[in-house]
Amino acid sequence: MSQYILRLDDASDYMDVKKWQRMEELLDRYGIKPLVGVIPDNRDLSLTDTYEQDPEFWDKTARWKEKGWELALHGCYHKYTTKEGGINPVNKRSEFAGVPLDKQKEMIRYGVDVLKSHNIEPRVFFAPSHTFDENTLIALKEESNIRIISDTIANDVYFENGFYFIPQQSGRVRKLPFKVVTFCYHPNMMKDEDFEELEIFLKGRYSNFVSVQDMKLKERPISNFDRILHAIYFAKKAIKT
């Protein structure tokens, strides 16, 4: 039986407050404790020019933390500065991939410090647009205690280069034949039908959902099956593009 993780991207002081409140109420109904990507210092104009600044945002993160939600470091500024895909080329844009190591270390250090100033000790990292490179991993090792990455395509959690990689395979809930599945949602962009689809899925499968805190992470090396899944996914993506 698959284990499911619900991941929510782009939480910040510039977000759609009503949609995030709707998501929180929905997840509370079914006892779901998601993985939430918090942008430390949001400078993404697509967000800051769209939403009013929420003065209560950091109070909300304190409430989420109290509920047992896992608060992750989601980039630094959420600004894309390269057209690189890195080691997880889901997109050809990145805040991290292709950026010099010293700059990445500076961003990781600053992002972690911002979260710590709000009593958040991040254990998990995921990059905007899913893109990062080997230098990102070095920066995380040298500038943080983060050793869990939410991203890459695989059947199960695996351990490589000193990190646990929790695979992230879908942007919506659906039945997939993998041991661990992460569904990635962007509440800011969700429509009514997205919330309705999610609730229908939760009604029937809420017991399959686990929090990152409850997962028993093992130092399992990446398998050949994981590598095949990864290759198939990116081969199909290349054909589409």
Side-chain angles (χ1 to χ4, degrees), residues 156-169:
D156 195 1
V157 180
Y158 63 90
F159 186 79
E160 188 173 65
N161 296 326
F163 288 89
Y164 297 95
F165 288 87
I166 300 178
Q168 193 278 295
Q169 306 99 327

Side-chain angles (χ1 to χ4, degrees), residues 117-131:
S117 74
H118 294 285
N119 297 312
I120 299 169
E121 292 273 354
R123 301 188 310 133
V124 183
F125 172 84
F126 50 91
S129 284
H130 312 275
T131 49

Side-chain angles (χ1 to χ4, degrees), residues 11 13 38-42 58 73-77 110-112 114-115:
D13 52 346
V38 179
I39 304 170
D41 184 0
N42 193 345
W58 295 108
L73 178 67
H74 184 40
C76 182
Y77 307 115
Y110 173 66
V112 169
V114 170
L115 295 192

Side-chain angles (χ1 to χ4, degrees), residues 9-23:
D9 283 32
D10 299 349
S12 84
D13 52 346
Y14 291 92
M15 65 184 190
D16 191 317
V17 172
K18 290 183 178 179
K19 288 183 179 179
W20 276 87
Q21 181 64 31
R22 182 175 179 178
M23 177 63 81

Side-chain angles (χ1 to χ4, degrees), residues 6-8 11 20 34-38 64 69-73 126:
L6 192 68
R7 171 178 140 179
L8 308 179
W20 276 87
L35 170 64
V36 181
V38 179
W64 297 342
W69 292 20
E70 186 78 39
L71 306 182
L73 178 67
F126 50 91

Side-chain angles (χ1 to χ4, degrees), residues 130-182:
H130 312 275
T131 49
F132 58 98
D133 61 14
E134 289 85 354
N135 280 339
T136 316
L137 302 182
I138 295 171
L140 287 167
K141 281 183 180 178
E142 295 187 3
E143 301 295 339
S144 79
N145 294 320
I146 293 171
R147 296 296 182 270
I148 303 173
I149 307 290
S150 167
D151 257 321
T152 72
I153 304 300
N155 175 58
D156 195 1
V157 180
Y158 63 90
F159 186 79
E160 188 173 65
N161 296 326
F163 288 89
Y164 297 95
F165 288 87
I166 300 178
Q168 193 278 295
Q169 306 99 327
S170 180
R172 63 179 179 84
V173 286
R174 53 187 171 136
K175 191 173 181 180
L176 291 171
F178 306 134
K179 189 169 182 178
V180 173
V181 180
T182 301

